[in-house]
Amino acid sequence: MTTTKRSFCLYLIKPSHYDDDGYVIQWWKSPIPSNSLAAVYGLTQDCIDRQVLGPDVEFDVEAMDETNTEVRVEAIAARIEAADVGMVMLIGVQSNQFPRALDIARPLRARSLQVGIGGFHVSGVISMLNGDDARFKEAQAMGISLFAGEAEGRLEEVLADANARALKPLYNFMNDLPGIEDTPVPFMPAGHVGRTAYNLTSFDAGRGCPYQCSFCTIINVQGRKSRRRSPDDIEKIVRANLAQGVYRFFITDDNFARNKDWEPIMDRLIEMREIEKLHFNFIIQVDTLCHKIAGFVEKCARAGVKRVFIGLENVNPANLMGAKKRQNKITEYRTMLLAWKAHHVITYAGYILGFPGDTPERIKHDIEVIKRELPVDILEFFFLTPLPGSEDHQKLHRAGVAMDPDLNKYDLNHMTTAHPIMSREEWEGVYADAWAQYYTPEHVGTIMRRAHVSGISASNILFLVTWFVGSVRIEGVHPLEGGGVRLKFRHARRPELGLENPLLFYPRYWGETAVKLVRWAALYLKYGLVLRKVEKDPGRDSYTDIAMTPVSAHEEELEMFQSADAQDWLNQEKRLERARHGISEPANTP
């Protein structure tokens, strides 16, 4: 006898979010790939292999990253309705993506199709606000199933409920975060990876962070305990991707330096590179004290790390202490950056604008200090943002402080609450000015010279600087959201803004695309001429400056340490150091 197969149509969609004109931010080649989508796709394939719904269920799975793929809701609905059963899972939805997720879900729910939403917004709102969020409640009222926590060991329950058309209103696993060692690993097919700018895929080697930064959501969603994949898991991920021609990876751990298995993981990758002669490379994220871990920087470089994101955040100790980022010690910044330079690794540093004590003058002064005294390559700026799921947001929410109700703006690229000193115009103005101040042709030349003497390709700096500056100036988005060739679809617009007349929309889109391409070419040429000047400089091989000078006993003479806040912090650090060594405080002289 033959058994009739039952079809289950499953869409895994990572939504994007809207630009200031209400259009979904999409690209021909998108930027950073979604690890959440890769993780759930890998878990789904495992569920299929194990036949968790029985041998008579046949899955039809489609994964979509909306940053590089048009989401056609009508076609999705028709495909699910043609199956025996199905659902749409909106994966890894951040706060700024939640409005778009609801707009995708709304017409699906109107046709009584099953929809689930998971990700940082749902988990953060459960963790810090116990669900007290307007958009969260709107989703519940629409009949959307919400998922808080992580899907390892839980996805099969959701699939079984969907198969029975009995999804729960809420799956809450925030108090039971799973171990991830020896679980199905993140994976995306090469066809999907090829839609990213670098043919770049992603995976998490671990989750959780031990620190307590008040602006961070990671610690309240993934916890402060290190949960990690094994070296065998990482090798499996790398080999599976090499087999399909993918060799560039972004390790999405918020702080890979605090992954307790960083060393055996790096040792395994070093063996694959140096013994087997396999070719692959990585981008990682670390803290500012990573260089103090014996062998960390060296082994990362040997394992194939080519770029590193560093949570620098600020050079003012008072700002860092106020945000509970006590692990950032400004006296270690140069040592850390020079350590990466010595191993030919490009450094990106995040820098937050809008701490309570910030003023336009102080921000501009500090950026000049960074340019002169810190050998960082790429500096990226962010508004201090009370992200739902963070301690900052929880405090403002409980205090009744006004915050922008539009979650779409919680992308770190928009002001979302008032500043105690700066007006809106001042804060937004200094944020816009910061990019222009740092990426002057003169300073870009300095970055290229530093790269050259550090064994880093200055042409890579040219590409990255063009990408960062062009994303802000030409595309009007943050560089971490910027991609290659902006796509706009007339129907992919916020419903409340309405559809534009096609006779207006298409000519304007084609025209602005042509203008943007010309501007991109001009920007690349502008910085390309800077590179040419650097390459023709006969003294390029012996270049040095204050930032590139080896760390000495005279560090405290640098301007970075001359502010009152820096002096107070230095004095406190000296007192703590004396106390650690049992040295008495010097007596006050009359």
Side-chain angles (χ1 to χ4, degrees):
M1 291 180 61
T2 58
T3 303
T4 302
K5 291 283 187 178
R6 177 178 168 84
S7 58
F8 189 119
C9 182
L10 176 63
Y11 272 87
L12 308 176
I13 302 175
K14 171 66 174 178
S16 182
H17 82 121
Y18 298 108
D19 64 17
D20 291 340
D21 294 324
Y23 287 98
V24 175
I25 299 175
Q26 295 174 295
W27 309 92
W28 170 61
K29 294 287 187 179
S30 63
I32 298 172
S34 169
N35 175 65
S36 297
L37 184 60
V40 176
Y41 186 85
L43 292 170
T44 301
Q45 294 304 310
D46 173 70
C47 288
I48 294 172
D49 293 342
R50 291 189 290 115
Q51 297 185 332
V52 297
L53 299 185
D56 62 329
V57 175
E58 189 171 73
F59 278 89
D60 174 16
V61 180
E62 182 71 34
M64 307 175 75
D65 184 339
E66 197 182 21
T67 62
N68 57 42
T69 304
E70 183 182 6
V71 174
R72 300 180 179 180
V73 176
E74 182 68 29
I76 291 170
R79 188 167 165 183
I80 294 175
E81 288 169 343
D84 292 305
V85 68
M87 76 171 294
V88 172
M89 292 184 181
L90 294 157
I91 306 295
V93 180
Q94 301 170 7
S95 295
N96 68 84
Q97 297 159 348
F98 207 77
R100 175 57 182 166
L102 293 185
D103 290 341
I104 292 173
R106 191 170 287 108
L108 297 171
R109 289 299 302 139
R111 294 166 73 153
S112 299
L113 298 177
Q114 299 181 107
V115 179
I117 298 179
F120 264 71
H121 186 72
V122 173
S123 296
V125 164
I126 288 287
S127 174
M128 301 300 282
L129 302 178
N130 196 30
D132 185 14
D133 173 79
R135 286 292 200 172
F136 183 95
K137 293 175 181 177
E138 181 181 352
Q140 289 181 313
M142 289 168 58
I144 296 171
S145 179
L146 300 175
F147 188 99
E150 297 170 3
E152 283 80 7
R154 286 75 183 258
L155 182 60
E156 45 264 67
E157 177 184 345
V158 178
L159 292 174
D161 289 347
N163 191 44
R165 300 183 187 276
L167 285 174
K168 299 177 179 65
L170 175 65
Y171 295 85
N172 184 3
F173 298 105
M174 288 305 298
N175 294 325
D176 186 21
L177 297 177
I180 59 174
E181 184 175 358
D182 299 324
T183 60
V185 297
F187 181 79
M188 288 300 293
H192 290 77
V193 177
R195 296 171 188 160
T196 61
Y198 278 99
N199 201 38
L200 178 72
T201 193
S202 62
F203 66 87
D204 52 354
R207 298 174 191 164
C209 179
Y211 297 126
Q212 296 178 297
C213 307
S214 65
F215 52 77
C216 182
T217 61
I218 295 287
I219 53 177
N220 303 313
V221 172
Q222 295 186 349
R224 294 179 59 203
K225 179 182 178 181
S226 175
R227 295 171 293 123
R228 54 220 181 262
R229 302 188 190 278
S230 68
D232 288 343
D233 294 333
I234 304 306
E235 179 178 349
K236 180 180 179 180
I237 293 169
V238 173
R239 291 191 186 278
N241 280 282
L242 290 177
Q244 60 173 356
V246 175
Y247 60 91
R248 295 188 180 99
F249 302 88
F250 175 34
I251 300 179
T252 61
D253 298 35
D254 190 59
N255 189 350
F256 183 71
R258 303 306 147 185
N259 183 315
K260 291 185 178 180
D261 282 342
W262 74 264
E263 191 163 27
I265 289 172
M266 291 292 105
D267 285 342
R268 181 70 61 86
L269 295 172
I270 289 169
E271 180 180 338
M272 293 169 68
R273 281 173 58 89
E274 296 182 355
I275 304 301
E276 299 185 52
K277 305 300 181 182
L278 297 176
H279 175 65
F280 50 82
N281 58 62
F282 300 95
I283 303 171
I284 63 172
Q285 302 179 110
V286 298
D287 60 45
T288 59
L289 293 179
C290 61
H291 63 293
K292 297 180 78 69
I293 303 172
F296 180 80
V297 174
E298 176 203 356
K299 287 195 172 185
C300 284
R302 289 176 61 195
V305 171
K306 299 298 183 183
R307 303 181 192 178
V308 58
F309 285 89
I310 302 161
L312 196 75
E313 317 306 10
N314 215 262
V315 294
N316 185 317
N319 286 343
L320 296 169
M321 292 297 287
K324 296 186 178 180
K325 203 169 182 72
R326 300 178 181 89
Q327 69 272 20
N328 277 31
K329 301 183 183 298
I330 61 174
T331 47
E332 297 290 342
Y333 282 3
R334 280 213 322 124
T335 307
M336 176 269 300
L337 291 166
L338 288 171
W340 288 110
K341 275 276 189 289
H343 288 87
H344 325 303
V345 176
I346 294 175
T347 54
Y348 300 70
Y351 199 81
I352 297 174
L353 307 180
F355 284 105
D358 277 346
T359 64
E361 295 73 25
R362 170 173 277 186
I363 289 171
K364 291 175 182 178
H365 169 269
D366 289 348
I367 292 173
E368 289 302 318
V369 169
I370 292 170
K371 289 164 62 176
R372 186 169 53 254
E373 298 182 353
L374 293 182
V376 63
D377 298 313
I378 304 298
L379 197 62
E380 50 187 317
F381 302 98
F382 303 96
F383 279 95
L384 180 63
T385 304
L387 293 171
S390 69
E391 180 185 337
D392 286 350
H393 182 274
Q394 183 190 59
K395 286 182 175 179
L396 294 179
H397 177 82
R398 288 177 173 175
V401 175
M403 292 180 281
D404 199 307
D406 184 4
L407 289 177
N408 190 71
K409 294 181 181 178
Y410 287 72
D411 58 358
L412 311 182
N413 197 36
H414 290 84
M415 176 180 166
T416 56
T417 191
H419 190 270
I421 298 175
M422 294 186 285
S423 67
R424 171 179 288 274
E425 292 73 20
E426 288 176 321
W427 195 2
E428 291 178 339
V430 77
Y431 176 78
D433 292 344
W435 299 96
Q437 183 182 352
Y438 185 78
Y439 291 103
T440 62
E442 294 75 19
H443 187 61
V444 169
T446 298
I447 297 170
M448 290 175 174
R449 289 182 173 88
R450 291 172 181 169
H452 177 79
V453 296
S454 301
I456 296 169
S457 169
S459 60
N460 281 346
I461 298 297
L462 167 61
F463 172 79
L464 292 171
V465 167
T466 302
W467 169 23
F468 270 60
V469 175
S471 294
V472 174
R473 291 185 187 173
I474 300 172
E475 301 291 352
V477 300
H478 195 277
L480 296 187
E481 290 190 307
V485 186
R486 176 68 191 278
L487 303 179
K488 285 186 181 181
F489 300 98
R490 193 171 71 92
H491 290 273
R493 196 182 193 203
R494 298 191 84 162
E496 56 266 35
L497 295 180
L499 291 179
E500 290 191 280
N501 187 314
L503 297 178
L504 297 176
F505 173 81
Y506 290 106
R508 185 175 66 247
Y509 169 63
W510 296 328
E512 72 180 18
T513 300
V515 170
K516 284 180 178 180
L517 291 174
V518 171
R519 292 182 66 191
W520 275 107
L523 185 64
Y524 188 83
L525 177 61
K526 172 184 175 180
Y527 290 127
L529 292 174
V530 175
L531 173 60
R532 186 177 180 183
K533 183 178 180 181
V534 170
E535 291 175 335
K536 286 190 171 184
D537 183 355
R540 64 186 181 278
D541 293 338
S542 57
Y543 176 81
T544 190
D545 57 27
I546 293 174
M548 296 294 289
T549 303
V551 175
S552 72
H554 303 289
E555 288 296 291
E556 294 178 19
E557 297 176 7
L558 294 174
E559 188 172 350
M560 184 167 60
F561 303 109
Q562 301 312 307
S563 70
D565 288 336
Q567 287 292 309
D568 289 344
W569 181 82
L570 284 172
N571 290 333
Q572 179 181 341
E573 288 294 300
K574 291 174 182 177
R575 287 194 297 271
L576 291 173
E577 186 66 17
R578 288 193 292 267
R580 280 192 288 268
H581 290 85
I583 301 173
S584 301
E585 288 291 313
N588 292 328
T589 55

